[in-house]
Amino acid sequence: MTTNTPPSSPETDNPRQSDHAALQQIPVPLYGPEFAADPHGFYTEMRRKFGSLAPVELSPGIPATLVIGYRTAVQINNDPERFRADPRVWEQDIPLDCPVLPMLQYRPNALRSAGREHARYRKASVDSIDAINLYQVDMTIEQIALAQVNAFCGDGNADLISQYALPVTFAYLNAMVGCPADIGQRVAQGMAMMFEGNDAENGNALFVRALGELVALKRHTPGNDVTTRLVTHTADLTDDELVHQLVTIYGAGIEPLTNLIANTLLLMLIDDRFSGVAALTTRDALNELLFTDPPLANFGITYPPQPMMVDKVWLPANQPVVTSMAACNNDPAIVGQYNGNNAHLAWGTGPHACPAQDVAYSVAQNAIDQLFDRLPEIQLACSPDQLGWRPGPFHRSLARLPVVFPPVREGF
């Protein structure tokens, strides 16, 4: 399967020029440790070689086009007729054990549908999320965060991924959708397997089974939560559709929100601008990170139903076109124009933009503030260049974030 190859022309019929073009079109793998260690170096090199659209592989043998130009990404993501989010034609030829299939495959939800289907699913999700009380979010995160800090504050050291960012995110999402901890644990496990491409097929199955149990629970025992609002919404969603609305919520929540908290904590721990009397705020750090190194680095996936010419590049029909929010935000063509006005693409853009960004922002800000309020002398336990990043084509995710601090007694 060839990526970004135009139809035959006098230029491409020349053997020497064809060999040169083929060499230039070798896809860049996004799934290995090399990319995870230095994605921005890869984006810079891709921009030099390919311009705004780069041929990539999401996993071995799975080609895609990565959008690394800001204006091109805005154009594509706001053109749902020519760039549809429905992957059903593409996935017909994809093996079931493909590591990225669970992240890209069709699901009856707003993220993976188009047209009337998308409008119906989107309204149900937006209405259910918009009913969340943001003031209550602050109170809930304060309770969750304090309990989590109390579990390690006397030790003098911690890993802020496994002991803080992930459990705080996990606990809040469970509270938001009304999910008991035992079901939620299986949801988190399946989601992690899917993002990493580690036994993704079984991870997807685990994920979907757990969410099916949650839907059944809420039909029997409703509550004041997102799942209940989805169950009772006028869209009259089936059980299968309900499960896949929750897939979107958890998928957009667990990994990206954990990474947003952890990566912003790292920025604040290593950058002197966030310490001292005149320090920049947590809000400043979040805004900067969402611009420069967003936690969901490459997503916003569409599938053009026919070959499309964009920026003088032919995009093959029904092959994934993936927006690199990380690369687009750092596009030299726009850097300096948009800084400070939140015009980053970290939340997506167009009809598939994240509907829960206010909630996610509030969770992250409160989680970070609670940690620094409780442990103001916290420091990174190693050199930043000793930190490792988890491989995967979609996320920007630290493997660990070890810290040290003077031990303190549990608070209330």
Side-chain angles (χ1 to χ4, degrees):
M1 206 169 185
T2 304
T3 306
N4 292 8
T5 302
S8 178
S9 69
E11 289 185 349
T12 57
D13 285 343
N14 181 302
R16 181 171 296 178
Q17 290 178 340
S18 295
D19 289 346
H20 177 71
L23 181 64
Q24 292 297 307
Q25 295 298 311
I26 296 173
V28 179
L30 302 187
Y31 48 83
E34 298 83 6
F35 177 77
D38 183 25
H40 290 283
F42 275 75
Y43 300 141
T44 297
E45 181 63 11
M46 281 190 270
R47 187 172 281 113
R48 184 188 68 78
K49 291 179 66 175
F50 304 114
S52 62
L53 296 160
V56 298
E57 280 192 331
L58 302 178
S59 65
I62 304 296
T65 299
L66 192 68
V67 186
I68 56 178
Y70 182 96
R71 294 188 178 93
T72 305
V74 171
Q75 172 192 338
I76 287 173
N77 285 278
N78 283 277
D79 188 356
E81 291 303 314
R82 296 201 310 154
F83 294 92
R84 298 170 68 82
D86 188 331
R88 279 177 281 192
V89 175
W90 167 78
E91 70 181 81
Q92 289 173 2
D93 298 323
I94 304 301
L96 292 178
D97 61 353
C98 171
V100 295
L101 179 59
M103 293 294 294
L104 275 66
Q105 70 187 134
Y106 172 75
R107 298 178 189 272
N109 61 27
L111 190 62
R112 292 286 173 261
S113 60
R116 292 182 179 178
E117 268 191 320
H118 170 261
R120 175 169 166 259
Y121 297 143
R122 175 85 178 183
K123 180 167 175 53
S125 293
V126 169
D127 289 350
S128 299
I129 291 168
D130 281 352
I132 295 172
N133 183 327
L134 292 181
Y135 177 71
Q136 188 64 45
V137 171
D138 297 350
M139 297 175 60
T140 302
I141 291 298
E142 181 176 353
Q143 295 170 355
I144 292 171
L146 182 59
Q148 206 59 47
V149 173
N150 280 343
F152 61 77
C153 64
D155 298 339
N157 63 83
D159 168 27
L160 293 184
I161 305 288
S162 63
Q163 293 179 261
Y164 192 69
L166 177 57
V168 167
T169 297
F170 171 53
Y172 177 73
L173 285 172
N174 286 344
M176 185 180 92
V177 302
C179 183
D182 61 327
I183 296 176
Q185 185 61 51
R186 281 174 279 144
V187 168
Q189 182 184 349
M191 195 77 240
M193 292 164 69
M194 288 164 57
F195 263 92
E196 293 181 22
N198 175 24
D199 198 12
E201 185 180 2
N202 285 330
N204 181 53
L206 177 65
F207 187 43
V208 169
R209 281 197 305 271
L211 293 177
E213 291 181 35
L214 176 58
V215 168
L217 175 66
K218 290 302 166 180
R219 284 205 184 277
H220 184 265
T221 311
N224 181 19
D225 52 62
V226 167
T227 307
T228 298
R229 289 193 285 273
L230 285 168
V231 166
T232 58
H233 195 272
T234 55
D236 194 24
L237 301 170
T238 67
D239 282 2
D240 187 52
E241 289 173 330
L242 286 163
V243 164
H244 289 287
Q245 310 321 303
L246 294 170
V247 166
T248 303
I249 291 171
Y250 270 107
I254 293 179
E255 284 279 343
L257 186 49
T258 295
N259 298 340
L260 178 59
I261 295 170
N263 298 357
T264 304
L265 283 169
L266 174 61
L267 174 63
M268 297 179 74
L269 287 168
I270 65 176
D271 193 321
D272 290 341
R273 293 175 301 151
F274 298 98
S275 61
V277 177
L280 296 175
T281 66
T282 300
R283 180 172 289 271
D284 294 324
L286 283 166
N287 289 340
E288 181 171 320
L289 187 94
L290 287 166
F291 231 119
T292 60
D293 208 15
L296 188 59
N298 305 304
F299 213 56
I301 304 161
T302 63
Y303 305 81
Q306 60 192 33
M308 297 287 181
M309 172 71 86
V310 178
D311 293 354
K312 300 181 180 180
V313 173
W314 280 100
L315 303 179
N318 301 304
Q319 183 173 291
V321 176
V322 181
T323 296
S324 176
M325 288 80 85
C328 290
N329 290 350
N330 292 279
D331 183 352
I334 63 100
V335 167
Q337 297 184 38
Y338 299 113
N339 290 335
N341 71 356
N342 294 336
H344 57 74
L345 302 183
W347 306 114
T349 183
H352 293 276
C354 175
Q357 52 191 272
D358 289 342
V359 175
Y361 199 103
S362 183
V363 170
Q365 181 173 347
N366 278 281
I368 292 166
D369 285 344
Q370 290 296 326
L371 179 70
F372 282 124
D373 283 349
R374 191 76 183 92
L375 301 173
E377 297 180 65
I378 196 168
Q379 295 181 344
L380 193 62
C382 64
S383 170
D385 60 13
Q386 293 178 299
L387 295 171
W389 298 87
R390 291 164 53 206
F394 306 116
H395 58 202
R396 179 65 169 152
S397 178
L398 284 162
R400 295 180 66 250
L401 184 56
V403 293
V404 293
F405 48 86
V408 299
R409 292 188 301 174
E410 291 186 13
F412 298 96

